[in-house]
Amino acid sequence: MENVRKATRKDKQAIVGILTQAFWNEPHINWFAGTHNNNKKQRVEALMSFVFEKRLPSGEVFITNDSQAVAVWRNDTATKFSISLTLEYLKFLWIYGYKRVMDINRYEKSVHSRYPKDKSIYYLWMLGTSNQSQGKGLGSHLMNYMLRDAAKNGIDTYLETATESNVALYEHKGFELYDQMEVVGEPNITIYFMRKGSMS
């Protein structure tokens, strides 16, 4: 696993920073956090912190050795609740408010209804590179590691993106577009769903 390792709790600050930078202009993240909200940075960082706490116990957060790129994956394993995750959720709820959290939950349910329930899959939740390391292929390197693992185990890989220009980038990796949806109440935000067969 050259130049890639599983993240530890010591990596949290770096990972939250990378993901905050990488998703700063993503349409659905702006919808979550509020584009014109004065505390947008706090809200985006709270989201990324929650993502980290939710997936770290399952060993699904990977970072490059130079701490410049991160990938967060999800599998079929149920979320392992802990004091850290509970406190993180309470902080998230406090910052976002009950109504927005419910909106995000409905969005998540709608997204995951488009993924298969009758088989194991690899699901790329988030992939990001720090601003100073853009264009160096680190994100691609992180993705390739798990794609090789998926191919070895005969498991299909799924992801979604809210940035249309990313579709062509993922197609170059062998993904195909199979569905899309508009975010309820936000017709200017389209989510593109992509998958890659284990043999493709």
Side-chain angles (χ1 to χ4, degrees):
M1 192 161 59
E2 184 180 357
N3 196 35
V4 178
R5 61 180 174 81
K6 286 188 176 182
T8 69
R9 184 158 298 283
K10 293 180 180 179
D11 298 307
K12 182 176 181 177
Q13 183 176 355
I15 288 171
V16 170
I18 291 169
L19 292 178
T20 297
Q21 289 180 6
F23 285 85
W24 187 257
N25 293 315
E26 280 284 307
H28 67 304
I29 299 300
N30 280 328
W31 173 67
F32 290 172
T35 306
H36 305 296
N37 199 302
N38 291 331
N39 62 344
K40 177 185 172 182
K41 186 172 187 292
Q42 180 191 29
R43 290 163 75 92
V44 176
E45 287 178 341
L47 173 64
M48 301 312 172
S49 183
F50 179 66
V51 167
F52 175 87
E53 292 291 348
K54 193 169 185 178
R55 300 324 306 173
L56 182 71
S58 299
E60 297 173 278
V61 184
F62 295 87
I63 189 170
T64 53
N65 288 333
D66 58 5
S67 300
Q68 294 298 307
V70 59
V72 182
W73 296 80
R74 290 172 67 167
N75 60 24
D76 303 326
T77 305
T79 300
K80 298 178 181 179
F81 287 97
S82 64
I83 293 176
S84 295
L85 181 57
T86 300
L87 292 174
E88 199 70 39
Y89 180 76
L90 291 173
K91 183 180 76 172
F92 182 73
L93 182 62
W94 174 259
I95 291 173
Y96 276 78
Y98 179 79
K99 183 180 183 302
R100 178 54 78 190
V101 169
M102 291 301 100
D103 289 341
I104 294 172
N105 284 342
R106 282 191 291 270
Y107 165 85
E108 286 283 312
K109 287 181 180 179
S110 183
V111 164
H112 291 290
S113 70
R114 287 166 166 80
Y115 293 126
K117 303 292 189 297
D118 58 347
K119 65 176 183 178
S120 295
I121 66 170
Y122 280 23
Y123 168 53
L124 179 58
W125 194 3
M126 289 188 172
L127 178 70
T129 303
S130 66
N131 289 343
Q132 63 265 35
S133 295
Q134 291 288 332
K136 296 182 179 180
L138 295 179
S140 179
H141 183 67
L142 272 173
M143 181 179 283
N144 287 342
Y145 168 72
M146 291 302 287
L147 291 179
R148 286 194 296 269
D149 197 63
K152 181 178 69 175
N153 292 302
I155 299 175
D156 296 346
T157 306
Y158 288 74
L159 59 83
E160 79 270 351
T161 180
T163 302
E164 187 175 7
S165 59
N166 285 345
V167 172
L169 296 176
Y170 289 126
E171 286 177 337
H172 184 69
K173 285 287 188 184
F175 285 82
E176 62 174 355
L177 179 68
Y178 72 91
D179 198 1
Q180 60 188 65
M181 77 171 194
E182 290 184 352
V183 175
V184 176
E186 296 290 336
N188 294 324
I189 302 178
T190 301
I191 308 298
Y192 303 93
F193 296 87
M194 307 190 73
R195 65 186 167 206
K196 177 180 172 64
S198 59
M199 301 303 293
S200 61

